[in-house]
């Protein structure tokens, strides 16, 4: 019986809403819609026909090998989410109750949640205003403060925010000197690099995400990467309910149901073949914004515009005093024309779930939240959609200037 698979081919005129936009029907142009088409369809269908419709199978093994090769690490385990990858990475380093983990306050909540799942607590560190990434200059003081007060720092968890790598050349020596391991949250950064070294290869372990809005997607999924094969094999064991490889069900400890589906790994393999092309498209979009805003006073692009970033999301930062308008006003104008934009991550120390967590804060992340805006950046954007977004922004600038 032929399978009917309806997907969002590039030739189609509308992009699929990302899951978090599922309730909003007004947008016609999305921030970062899944970019899937005939190649993903053919990989998925052949995986389905192979009979391996399970969280085990040859696509998983191949996807892990291909990502590990691409990132240049020894070992990888494919998981149901990036959050699961962060959780198992921290467990693998022995992070648990009574410890603190240094987490940037400007990130998606999953970074801190993974820490909380282990029983440890996050200590938040503020952002470098230029990139939004962890402000490495604050790190020695924070580590010293935490360690001097008798707290055990289980890990530092930098995030490669919006696809720009943290400053690992500065960060890694500081953590090494303090004797604290690093876990890289590379959820947004597959295909990026720092001084020629790929995102996902820094620290003791790293996490990737393949959620629907990320650079490549499996609809939902993630991967833990490390050069430490023992850590990765332990994560693999914990991800399958800590089941021993014997025929009856033998569980020496409490594990998790965190393994990725073999079907979704097949989608991931197709996406990985297209990664460079998709990054090229995101970079083009970023360049269009860079050109558009180059002469606009009070507006800058967040992060690097160099060729090392995957340009997952292009964000602008608007100083209202100089620009004469607020980022939120541009957002409202875009929404009025069916175009999605979104504030930069709301800092975690301002979230009710994490209030009073402590750390070292300068106000930089809060300022970025108040003045920043993420613009449509997806590889799915057609030439026409790009032109529509640019035209709509130009009209706003003309009316606000
Ligand atoms: C998306 C994301 C995650 C979580 O990934 P999921 O696959 O959605 O669990 C973690 N950290 C950051 C910075 C992210 O952007």
């Amino acid at each position: 019986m032929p399978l009917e698979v309806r997907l969002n081919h590039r030739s189609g005129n509308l992009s699929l809403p990302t899951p978090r936009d599922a309730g909003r029907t007004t947008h016609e142009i999305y921030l970062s819609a899944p970019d899937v088409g005939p190649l993903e369809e053919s990989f998925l269908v052949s995986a389905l026909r192979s009979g391996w419709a399970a969280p085990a199978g040859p696509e998983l093994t191949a996807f892990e090998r291909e990502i590990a090769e691409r990132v240049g690490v020894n070992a990888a385990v494919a998981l149901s989410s990036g959050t699961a990858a962060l959780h198992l990475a921290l467990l693998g380093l022995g992070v648990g109750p009574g410890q603190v983990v240094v987490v940037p306050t400007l990130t998606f909540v999953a970074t801190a949640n993974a820490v909380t799942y282990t029983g440890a607590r996050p200590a938040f560190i503020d952002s470098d205003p230029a990139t939004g990434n962890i402000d490495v200059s604050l790190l020695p003081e924070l580590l010293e403060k935490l360690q001097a007060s008798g707290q055990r720092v289980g890990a530092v968890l930098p995030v490669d925010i919006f696809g720009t790598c943290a400053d690992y050349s500065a960060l890694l020596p500081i953590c090494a000197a303090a004797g604290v391991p690093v876990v890289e949250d590379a959820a947004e950064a597959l295909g990026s690099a720092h001084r020629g070294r790929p995102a996902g290869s820094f620290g003791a372990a790293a996490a990737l995400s393949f959620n629907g809005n990320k650079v490549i997607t499996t609809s939902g999924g993630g991967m833990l990467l490390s050069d430490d094969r023992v850590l990765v094999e332990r994560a693999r064991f914990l991800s399958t309910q800590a089941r021993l490889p014997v025929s009856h069900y033998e569980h020496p400890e409490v594990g998790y149901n965190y393994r990725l589906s073999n079907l979704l790994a097949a989608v991931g393999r197709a996406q990985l073949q297209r990664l460079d092309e998709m990054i090229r498209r995101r970079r083009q979009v970023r360049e269009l914004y860079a050109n558009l805003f180059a002469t606009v006073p009070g507006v800058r692009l967040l992060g690097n515009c160099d060729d090392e970033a995957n340009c997952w999301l292009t964000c602008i930062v608007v100083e209202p005093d100089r620009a004469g308008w607020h980022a939120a006003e541009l957002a409202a104008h875009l929404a009025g024309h069916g175009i999605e934009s979104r504030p930069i991550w709301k800092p975690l120390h301002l979230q009710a779930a994490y209030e009073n967590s402590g750390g070292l804060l300068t106000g930089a992340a809060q300022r970025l939240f108040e003045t920043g805006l993420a613009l449509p950046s997806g590889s799915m954007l057609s030439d026409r959609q790009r032109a529509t977004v640019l035209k709509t922004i130009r009209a706003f600038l003309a009316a606000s200037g």
Side-chain angles (χ1 to χ4, degrees):
M1 206 177 79
L3 283 159
E4 205 209 340
V5 184
R6 291 230 237 132
L7 289 172
N8 181 28
H9 294 222
R10 175 152 301 128
S11 55
N13 49 3
L14 277 194
S15 55
L16 288 173
T18 54
R20 55 185 180 182
D21 293 312
R24 304 181 65 169
T25 52
T26 51
H27 294 139
E28 283 160 29
I29 296 178
Y30 286 91
L31 211 58
S32 180
D35 182 349
V36 290
L39 189 67
E40 288 76 11
E41 179 176 341
S42 70
F43 271 62
L44 177 60
V45 170
S46 54
L48 196 52
R49 287 180 178 160
S50 78
W52 287 97
E59 298 294 332
L60 277 169
T61 315
F63 188 37
E64 287 166 355
R65 192 187 57 240
E66 288 163 4
I67 292 270
E69 264 169 27
R70 167 86 198 207
V71 175
V73 294
N74 284 337
V77 56
L79 301 166
S80 53
S81 71
T83 311
L86 288 169
H87 184 193
L88 294 183
L90 293 168
L91 291 179
L93 294 173
V95 172
Q99 299 186 17
V100 291
V101 173
V102 174
V103 172
T105 189
L106 191 78
T107 181
F108 181 49
V109 72
T111 317
N113 284 350
V115 172
T116 305
Y117 300 160
T118 68
R121 286 184 307 103
F124 293 117
I125 186 164
D126 223 308
S127 300
D128 172 349
T131 62
N133 269 322
I134 184 168
D135 184 343
V136 179
S137 72
L138 302 175
L139 197 53
E141 185 187 337
L142 177 58
L143 289 173
E144 215 169 283
K145 188 179 100 176
L146 292 169
Q147 289 176 330
S149 67
Q151 306 205 60
R152 281 169 47 219
V153 184
V156 173
L157 185 32
V159 177
D160 303 326
I161 203 83
F162 302 122
T164 296
C165 280
D167 184 1
Y168 291 106
S169 323
L171 182 145
L172 294 174
I174 294 168
C175 295
V180 177
V182 171
V183 173
E184 178 189 5
D185 183 344
E188 304 172 0
L190 179 61
S192 301
H194 173 72
R195 301 202 181 164
R197 205 173 132 184
S201 71
F202 295 96
L208 298 175
S209 168
F210 312 124
N211 206 333
N213 59 354
K214 297 289 159 69
V215 174
I216 72 169
T217 184
T218 58
S219 74
M223 203 175 283
L224 189 166
L225 309 175
S226 180
D227 280 332
D228 182 346
R229 292 180 198 277
V230 175
L231 186 147
V232 170
E233 287 321 304
R234 165 121 184 105
R236 193 186 305 282
F237 168 68
L238 288 177
S239 75
T240 49
Q241 303 284 23
R243 187 184 169 195
L244 288 177
V246 293
S247 68
H248 65 281
Y249 286 89
E250 187 71 34
H251 306 275
E253 58 187 300
V254 176
Y256 305 89
N257 181 7
Y258 273 177
R259 198 76 164 110
L260 185 69
S261 157
N262 186 67
L263 300 181
L264 300 184
V267 175
R269 292 185 70 199
Q271 288 265 286
L272 186 58
Q273 287 192 3
R274 298 178 47 231
L275 174 62
D276 289 324
E277 161 67 10
M278 292 196 290
I279 290 176
R280 204 173 58 74
R281 293 185 63 83
R282 285 189 191 258
R283 201 164 278 152
Q284 284 171 354
V285 173
R286 186 173 176 106
E287 267 161 33
L288 292 171
Y289 289 130
N291 291 335
L292 173 61
F293 288 110
T295 54
V296 179
V299 182
R300 66 179 170 95
L301 264 56
L302 184 67
N304 299 332
C305 223
D306 61 25
D307 54 9
E308 288 214 290
N310 68 6
C311 302
W312 174 53
L313 289 185
T314 297
C315 304
I316 55 168
V317 180
V318 181
E319 297 304 333
D321 294 347
R322 289 186 53 219
W325 48 275
H326 286 265
E329 294 172 272
L330 174 57
H333 179 79
L334 291 171
H337 290 77
I339 300 169
E340 183 187 31
S341 64
R342 206 179 267 276
I344 289 172
W345 304 123
K346 180 174 176 181
L348 297 183
H349 73 276
L350 301 176
Q351 307 277 1
Y354 285 108
E355 62 191 359
N356 307 320
S357 291
L360 190 50
L361 301 164
T362 61
Q366 181 169 358
R367 184 99 193 111
L368 289 173
F369 170 61
E370 287 164 357
T371 56
L373 191 67
L375 297 171
S377 308
S379 48
M380 269 299 288
L381 291 174
S382 66
D383 290 350
R384 229 181 100 210
Q385 288 176 319
R386 292 176 181 188
T388 301
V389 174
L390 294 178
K391 196 183 76 190
T392 310
I393 295 173
R394 274 197 210 98
F396 171 83
L397 293 174
S400 314

